[in-house]
Amino acid sequence: MLRKILVFGAALFIFISCGKKSPQAPEDREKTITILYTNDEHGWMLAGENHSGTDGLMALWRQQEGFSENGPFLVLSGGDMWTGPAISTWFQGESMANVMNAMQYDAAAIGNHEFDFKVEGLKARVAQSSFPFLSANIREKSNGQIPNFIQPYTIVDVDSVAVGVIGLTTTSTPYSTFPTNVADFDFIPYETALEEIIPQVKTAGAEILIVLGHICEPEMRQLMPFAAANGISLIAGGHCRNLVGEIINAVGLMKTSAYLEFYGKAVLTYDMGKKQVKNIQIDILPNQSTVSDAEISAIVGFWQNQMDAALAEVIGYTENGIARESAAMQNMVMDSWLQTFPAAAAALSNAGGIRQSIPVGEITLETMVGLLPFENQIIEIEMNGAEMQQWAGNFIHAGLRGGNPFIFADSSAIIDNQIYPVLTTDYLYARDDRPFQYLDPAPYFTAVHYRQPVIDWIKSLNTSSGNPLENYLDAVGRK
Ligand SMILES: [Zn+2]
């Protein structure tokens, strides 16, 4: 079989040579492949404060980069494609996959947030997408195999060059998505996975190797010697928020921040004769566009209409807006839980569960979904006063104040050996690097979504421009 291919290749070469009047110049044997790259899109198909959204990005790619469907381009994502604004979260990523299909993505790494809507949710997105979801380092705990809905790699024909793209998923995934969603999987070390998969990719004919990793910069750098020794030309990353664009020992490192604020562009010059990448150039460019791609704009508009219909309900009014990390925001969310479950002594949660600010004016359900986008529910656990003292400082909270030591909001003392009911999320409980599951092996699952109490509380106040939410907020920090 191999011999036949070689013979055919030789025949083809002769045919092409005969067709030319002069011998091939060296540059004819070179191909230029442009990789357009995003990571941690988190559902930001709409424009935001610092970026132009997907319709602007597609227009930039077409006009500034000369992108065309059949041109020498490879469009890749480093994963975490959804969970963010309501337009992606409400539809469990379906809307974002729809947009990325239209943007001609060729492959995406599986990020931790790809599991946010459980394995069934991820399988639905894999089935819907016209591009493969890649990860070489996820294994079924039961049998050590790569799960059947995941591809470790893909080979894309770009202008007749076979580009092998190998996926990696952050080994922090058991803590950075809902832990039980990935309880059936091991996330094995990156190099172990690559050592296993690279020979397969080469055997399958890949001429250029790219690692598409949902991994942070330190992990990308740790892989550099391995990459240089194994013929990997580019490591694309994600998960963390800093920008990386660098070439070290002929291996490129590329990573944007998040939310489609930037895109990465790697231009590879491939020498067809020597069968090697001769040059790499990397740029990280802002997604700042004054133009819009009509096709993408129409798809985003469709989902906007779907969302508006579902989430247009106005639940309140804020005069000044509420900043994401403000005490007013944290207190409001946490106090609403205690209001819903008044028998609890306190509530403890992570600030990272609150994902965006509430803008000035009418507050809609849409804003609330983007604010608290995760599929987390409130649970009640028991802990004693000493444990509460120990852990309260690590979390945002309600029902407590002070800090050295904490006391209850009504000024009564926390008694060290007394057992108290405390609210938190099933997400934090499921994380085994957090204390809660060790403090109480039998929590009470309320089945109330962590977003619902704050929606109920804001609605109950009947706020308006004449009686804004600010009249009811507690803006005093509790650390
Ligand atoms: Zn991530």
Side-chain angles (χ1 to χ4, degrees):
M1 184 64 191
L2 184 64
R3 177 173 301 209
K4 269 188 191 166
I5 290 170
L6 289 174
V7 169
F8 177 73
L12 190 68
F13 178 74
I14 291 162
F15 176 72
I16 291 170
S17 299
C18 294
K20 298 234 178 193
K21 284 180 180 167
S22 58
Q24 282 188 319
E27 57 266 30
D28 289 341
R29 295 184 298 135
E30 286 176 10
K31 294 218 172 176
T32 301
I33 293 170
T34 300
I35 298 164
L36 298 172
Y37 184 66
T38 61
N39 58 273
D40 296 77
E41 299 85 2
H42 277 292
W44 276 97
M45 66 187 74
L46 293 164
E49 285 170 20
N50 309 314
H51 51 94
S52 296
T54 44
D55 61 333
L57 182 59
M58 195 67 197
L60 277 182
W61 284 356
R62 286 194 187 281
Q63 296 182 17
Q64 194 167 290
E65 308 300 351
F67 172 80
S68 67
E69 278 75 354
N70 300 315
F73 289 89
L74 191 57
V75 183
L76 301 175
S77 164
D80 277 6
M81 293 173 272
W82 42 79
T83 304
I87 197 167
S88 82
T89 297
W90 193 257
F91 304 106
Q92 303 200 344
E94 183 184 357
S95 50
M96 194 62 186
N98 188 190
V99 171
M100 291 175 73
N101 282 343
M103 292 177 77
Q104 312 287 332
Y105 275 80
D106 291 296
I110 295 180
N112 49 302
H113 285 295
E114 262 65 67
F115 290 97
D116 281 358
F117 302 104
K118 303 187 176 160
V119 170
E120 290 313 309
L122 174 53
K123 284 181 179 172
R125 297 292 77 79
V126 170
Q128 176 201 352
S129 298
S130 53
F131 52 92
F133 289 30
L134 307 178
S135 180
N137 69 315
I138 303 178
R139 296 289 182 276
E140 299 270 8
K141 277 184 182 162
S142 60
N143 59 16
Q145 301 294 306
I146 293 171
N148 60 15
F149 60 94
I150 291 173
Q151 263 180 249
Y153 70 90
T154 188
I155 294 181
V156 187
D157 181 317
V158 186
D159 195 17
S160 300
V161 179
V163 183
V165 184
I166 308 166
L168 289 176
T169 301
T170 170
T171 51
S172 77
T173 299
Y175 310 111
S176 48
T177 182
F178 196 94
T180 51
N181 291 359
V182 291
D184 291 340
F185 307 122
D186 285 322
F187 294 80
I188 67 169
Y190 309 127
E191 281 191 24
T192 309
L194 291 174
E195 274 167 2
E196 180 185 328
I197 297 301
I198 284 174
Q200 298 176 28
V201 187
K202 286 182 174 168
T203 302
E207 296 166 277
I208 296 175
L209 293 182
I210 293 173
V211 168
L212 186 60
H214 191 74
I215 58 175
C216 294
E217 183 185 356
E219 297 167 305
M220 294 163 72
R221 289 190 185 282
Q222 278 165 20
L223 282 176
M224 290 294 301
F226 180 90
N230 287 275
I232 294 166
S233 297
L234 177 69
I235 301 174
H239 194 54
C240 298
R241 295 289 179 261
N242 59 322
L243 303 174
V244 182
E246 214 174 308
I247 295 145
I248 303 170
N249 296 331
V251 180
L253 296 178
M254 174 166 68
K255 191 172 88 54
T256 81
S257 52
Y259 312 143
L260 296 172
E261 290 174 349
F262 295 86
Y263 68 97
K265 176 184 164 188
V267 179
L268 276 59
T269 308
Y270 183 68
D271 186 318
M272 300 286 283
K274 291 181 180 162
K275 293 214 167 285
Q276 65 186 33
V277 174
K278 201 176 124 188
N279 187 47
I280 307 175
Q281 188 187 328
I282 294 176
D283 291 296
I284 306 294
L285 299 152
N287 176 18
Q288 308 272 1
S289 177
T290 53
V291 284
S292 169
D293 182 87
E295 184 195 358
I296 303 302
S297 180
I299 295 169
V300 173
F302 167 82
W303 290 105
Q304 176 89 55
N305 289 338
Q306 297 286 107
M307 183 182 67
D308 287 349
L311 300 178
E313 183 184 346
V314 175
I315 64 163
Y317 187 91
T318 168
E319 195 170 87
N320 305 314
I322 307 172
R324 175 182 171 186
E325 292 178 350
S326 65
M329 176 72 86
Q330 294 175 346
N331 294 344
M332 175 177 75
V333 171
M334 299 310 292
D335 285 347
S336 74
W337 295 9
L338 268 189
Q339 200 125 17
T340 299
F341 299 100
L348 303 175
S349 192
N350 59 324
I354 300 172
R355 300 301 275 198
Q356 67 185 49
S357 303
I358 298 181
V360 173
E362 290 184 335
I363 304 167
T364 60
L365 271 184
E366 179 190 340
T367 296
M368 301 309 291
V369 172
L371 183 76
L372 302 164
F374 299 107
E375 290 304 303
N376 296 346
Q377 298 186 340
I378 297 170
I379 65 168
E380 189 180 278
I381 58 175
E382 291 190 336
M383 65 177 75
N384 68 33
E387 290 161 343
M388 208 189 304
Q389 285 288 0
Q390 185 185 347
W391 294 110
N394 294 22
F395 296 98
I396 59 172
H397 49 78
L400 307 172
R401 62 187 177 85
N404 192 24
F406 284 99
I407 57 174
F408 285 116
D410 67 1
S411 299
S412 61
I414 298 170
I415 299 162
D416 275 359
N417 60 1
Q418 187 169 325
I419 301 289
Y420 297 102
V422 175
L423 304 172
T424 188
T425 61
D426 54 355
Y427 163 71
L428 285 176
Y429 187 84
R431 283 181 62 157
D432 61 18
D433 63 333
R434 290 289 180 269
F436 299 138
Q437 61 180 275
Y438 304 104
L439 301 180
D440 184 351
Y444 164 53
F445 289 87
T446 69
V448 172
H449 196 286
Y450 83 132
R451 182 194 304 142
Q452 195 58 45
V454 69
I455 291 173
D456 294 344
W457 183 72
I458 294 173
K459 275 185 177 177
S460 75
L461 300 171
N462 289 312
T463 54
S464 62
S465 56
N467 174 33
L469 186 59
E470 279 75 2
N471 290 349
Y472 305 91
L473 296 175
D474 172 8
V476 180
R478 293 172 181 172
K479 288 284 178 201

